[in-house]
Amino acid sequence: MAEELTPETPDEAEEPIKQRKNGLYQGVSDELAESMKSGWADTELTGLAPIPQAERTAARRAALSARFPGERLVIPAGNLKTRSNDTEYSFRASTEYAYLTGDQTHDGVLVLEPTATGHDATIYLLPRSNRENGEFWLDGMGELWVGRRHSLAEAEQLLGLPAKDVRELAAALAEATGPVRAVRGHDAGIEAALTDKVTAERDEELRVFLSEARLVKDDFEIAELEKACAATARGFEDVVKVLDKAEATSERYIEGTFFLRARVEGNDVGYGTIAAAGPHACTLHWVRNDGAVRSGDLLLLDAGVETTELYTADVTRTLPINGRYTDVQRKIYDAVYEAQEAGIAAVKPGAAYRDFHDAAQRVLAEKLVEWGLVEGPADRVLELGLQRRWTLHGTGHMLGMDVHDCAAARTEAYVDTTLEPGMCLTVEPGLYFQADDLTVPEEYRGIGVRIEDDILVTEDGNRNLSDQLPRRSDEVEAWMAGLKG
Ligand code: GLY
Ligand code: MN
Ligand code: MN
């Protein structure tokens, strides 16, 4: 068994901080420094209720502990990343850390310390700023600049696990002995402290376990996904209401409108919004969003609100910008709709994960043969994968805290598995006819259609969590007409 980690208490009498990192506070008089030390109320909070998911996070840690007995497990939240000079990108805690703790603060680290019977979990966090040495107001991370943090005692009450000062953790980890695994890619300082103690292969086993643990969602997670989908539906409505402003400006108006909803109702967007008007719909990862929005074209909007607890929706609608599909747009749209219906019908407990993809692809292959774009029969097309020139991507993926959730799961636990109640996945077939594709009739060129919904596997079938938004072409038109009033 590994020895216990014993970070030292930070030295209160350390050198006073003389200036903020950007140098704004050079030349602080002794009188001012003295003044800033005192005269502040005690704001310590007591009697705090645990966060709503505290019991779930404890159960998740227990499952992790059972999988890796006798080993120290290190799961960092991650650090701020510099954008430029002294400004940082907005921070989003690592999925693994947030899943196991419910906490989202930067620099936090969860450590599971092996014991004779399992593990003791401790969360390592930045404590309140020291006022005595000036850190509070002279350090760039001082609370005067970045806002009040929870004290370690407050964090313990909220998260339901002991909290210690993270500033001493790297040194303690570097000294410690015994087997250890860490989640990589989030905290370079912690990784440096563990360099000689971990291997990529063993760390990958930890990452795989934490990915597979998230395949089946608990009731808290399902409620979060419902919230994400409801907020996303409102974001799509917001967009429809401002399509005239987007026409006067660009796709950015659509991106910005959706972002407002994401920030007001949630934490952020769960991935870069794809606001693709006209032929941009055929570029799968169109996130530049700087193109023109024109009446008569389609808008492919792929966007999702991420909730404050970091669960995201992933929804696509392909809308006629002027409110009415042309005949050829409708023909292509209705084919994708039919494929999506077939895909959603294949989502049920006990079905193979691949079934929904196969069902949707078959419909699309049949349409492509029917339209004379590829020589049939559909079985031949599917066997040779010829439909993929126009379908481009898989029909869906797991959804949760990450938009492409559980991505480190093994093939046998994900794409080769059978569906179980509590799994949530997207069903998102599409057809994309590139503007320069000479193998299709000219009228098809530049049309891209995807319809994407978030489907929860239930005991007796499935539930479409994003069904607040219409999908059938005539229902989309009626919905748009109602919103534009
Ligand atoms: N928005 C990313 C995806 O649909 O997978
Ligand atoms: Mn998706
Ligand atoms: Mn999507």
Side-chain angles (χ1 to χ4, degrees):
M1 193 179 63
E3 92 227 35
E4 206 193 336
L5 287 178
T6 50
E8 289 167 17
T9 315
D11 184 359
E12 297 287 322
E14 67 200 42
E15 268 298 283
I17 291 165
K18 288 284 191 323
Q19 63 178 62
R20 191 167 182 265
K21 68 180 176 186
N22 61 11
L24 282 177
Y25 280 76
Q26 283 167 344
V28 173
S29 68
D30 290 347
E31 288 77 3
L32 176 58
E34 205 50 39
S35 159
M36 289 300 284
K37 287 181 186 176
S38 59
W40 309 107
D42 178 2
T43 60
E44 183 72 12
L45 303 169
T46 54
L48 295 175
I51 56 172
Q53 69 272 45
E55 279 180 23
R56 272 72 162 213
T57 56
R60 295 168 193 164
R61 292 192 297 270
L64 175 62
S65 166
R67 169 66 180 81
F68 297 106
E71 303 186 35
R72 178 177 289 125
L73 306 172
V74 180
I75 300 101
N79 314 123
L80 294 176
K81 185 168 161 44
T82 300
R83 183 175 190 273
S84 174
N85 190 19
D86 59 354
T87 59
E88 283 96 18
Y89 288 102
S90 66
F91 177 76
R92 197 269 197 187
S94 77
T95 290
E96 294 89 347
Y97 174 86
Y99 175 74
L100 291 167
T101 66
D103 183 54
Q104 296 181 31
T105 53
H106 61 81
D107 297 328
V109 184
L110 172 69
V111 178
L112 265 62
E113 194 68 30
T115 65
T117 52
H119 288 83
D120 286 339
T122 303
I123 194 160
Y124 291 82
L125 298 167
L126 283 176
R128 300 287 318 273
S129 290
N130 185 327
R131 302 203 182 207
E132 189 60 30
N133 72 359
E135 177 195 10
F136 161 66
W137 69 294
L138 293 173
D139 184 90
M141 279 296 126
E143 288 179 297
L144 188 75
W145 293 96
V146 300
R148 187 190 189 282
R149 290 188 278 272
H150 282 300
S151 70
L152 298 182
E154 290 167 358
E156 288 187 352
Q157 296 167 62
L158 290 166
L159 304 175
L161 73 176
K164 293 185 181 168
D165 187 340
V166 73
R167 292 173 301 184
E168 305 300 313
L169 178 62
L173 285 173
E175 292 291 309
T177 57
V180 53
R181 297 180 196 248
V183 174
R184 296 187 179 205
H186 303 300
D187 190 322
I190 294 295
E191 283 179 36
L194 293 171
T195 308
D196 328 331
K197 305 174 197 293
V198 291
T199 67
E201 193 184 354
R202 284 162 44 77
D203 287 355
E204 181 63 11
E205 286 171 0
L206 172 60
R207 195 171 80 100
V208 167
F209 176 83
L210 290 173
S211 218
E212 293 180 4
R214 305 200 315 274
L215 281 164
V216 174
K217 274 65 183 173
D218 62 32
D219 53 354
F220 176 86
E221 296 182 288
I222 292 167
E224 285 297 310
L225 287 164
E226 287 169 343
K227 270 190 229 167
C229 287
T232 296
R234 288 187 280 276
F236 275 67
E237 288 176 3
D238 296 340
V239 165
V240 169
K241 288 180 189 163
V242 299
L243 279 176
D244 55 339
K245 295 199 175 72
E247 281 187 59
T249 53
S250 79
E251 294 160 337
R252 291 277 165 95
Y253 207 97
I254 293 162
E255 179 189 336
T257 299
F258 189 82
F259 184 62
L260 176 62
R261 180 65 68 172
R263 286 294 283 170
V264 169
E265 290 206 28
N267 177 58
D268 203 335
V269 288
Y271 53 93
T273 295
I274 298 168
H280 291 155
C282 301
T283 302
L284 290 186
H285 296 164
W286 180 258
V287 289
R288 277 183 251 159
N289 299 339
D290 58 357
V293 177
R294 295 193 180 91
S295 175
D297 280 349
L298 295 175
L299 167 69
L300 185 155
L301 176 59
D302 183 345
V305 172
E306 177 187 68
T307 64
T308 53
E309 300 307 325
L310 308 185
Y311 287 80
T312 190
D314 180 12
V315 175
T316 306
R317 290 293 181 267
T318 306
L319 310 172
I321 288 162
N322 64 11
R324 214 169 148 70
Y325 296 99
T326 66
D327 288 347
V328 67
Q329 288 168 351
R330 190 183 309 275
K331 172 174 150 176
I332 296 166
Y333 184 95
D334 288 349
V336 174
Y337 172 75
E338 206 178 302
Q340 198 203 22
E341 283 282 274
I344 293 173
V347 176
K348 51 191 161 198
Y353 174 83
R354 292 176 191 272
D355 286 354
F356 78 96
H357 172 71
D358 293 343
Q361 292 291 303
R362 173 162 291 280
V363 172
L364 296 176
E366 286 167 354
K367 296 289 176 189
L368 292 165
V369 170
E370 186 186 316
W371 298 341
L373 303 188
V374 62
E375 190 189 324
D379 280 334
R380 182 190 88 93
V381 174
L382 291 165
E383 196 178 314
L384 299 175
L386 300 176
Q387 80 285 2
R388 291 172 58 189
R389 180 179 176 108
W390 303 287
T391 64
L392 298 185
H393 55 79
T395 307
H397 50 84
M398 294 292 179
L399 182 73
M401 298 185 82
D402 292 335
V403 61
H404 296 160
D405 208 32
C406 314
R410 293 162 303 156
T411 304
E412 59 263 40
Y414 188 161
V415 289
D416 282 346
T417 196
T418 51
L419 297 178
E420 287 177 47
M423 289 179 169
C424 185
L425 49 125
T426 68
V427 178
E428 50 173 311
L431 280 176
Y432 310 89
F433 299 104
Q434 306 296 325
D436 58 353
D437 187 344
L438 301 180
T439 71
V440 301
E442 200 169 345
E443 58 177 359
Y444 289 29
R445 295 179 202 160
I447 293 179
V449 173
R450 177 164 66 256
I451 313 172
E452 176 172 27
D453 283 82
D454 301 342
I455 311 296
L456 176 71
V457 184
T458 59
E459 294 292 339
D460 55 1
N462 71 60
R463 186 154 61 88
N464 184 345
L465 303 183
S466 45
D467 70 354
Q468 303 90 336
L469 291 170
R471 294 183 292 124
R472 233 175 56 193
S473 54
D474 57 338
E475 290 175 356
V476 169
E477 289 172 337
W479 169 74
M480 291 181 73
L483 287 171
K484 285 173 159 181

